[in-house]
Amino acid sequence: MTCDRLVCANCAAPVSEGRCPVCRASRERLQHQEGIFGALTPAALIALLVALVAVAVLARGFGFAG
């Protein structure tokens, strides 16, 4: 999850701007929780999944997988 669209309940500003201490703390916490796939958008994750399925189908068609 990214903080691009989140609005702070404390100051009503976008969390990505980090205007108040609550925004800055939330932004910092989200950046630490992202992990390997945290920066990917849902569309990019779907495209990655489609590519993985396509590779699996091609591998099976060529007899590489069981």
Side-chain angles (χ1 to χ4, degrees):
M1 179 175 191
T2 62
C3 58
D4 296 337
R5 294 188 177 133
L6 295 178
V7 176
C8 178
N10 192 42
C11 69
V15 171
S16 60
E17 293 179 8
R19 292 185 186 178
C20 73
V22 175
C23 292
R24 289 189 289 274
S26 295
R27 184 177 60 185
E28 187 70 24
R29 182 178 48 83
L30 284 171
Q31 287 175 350
H32 287 304
Q33 289 180 349
E34 282 185 353
I36 190 168
F37 294 114
L40 293 176
T41 63
L45 287 174
I46 291 171
L48 186 63
L49 180 63
V50 168
L52 182 63
V53 169
V55 168
V57 167
L58 287 173
R60 186 171 178 114
F62 287 117
F64 293 129

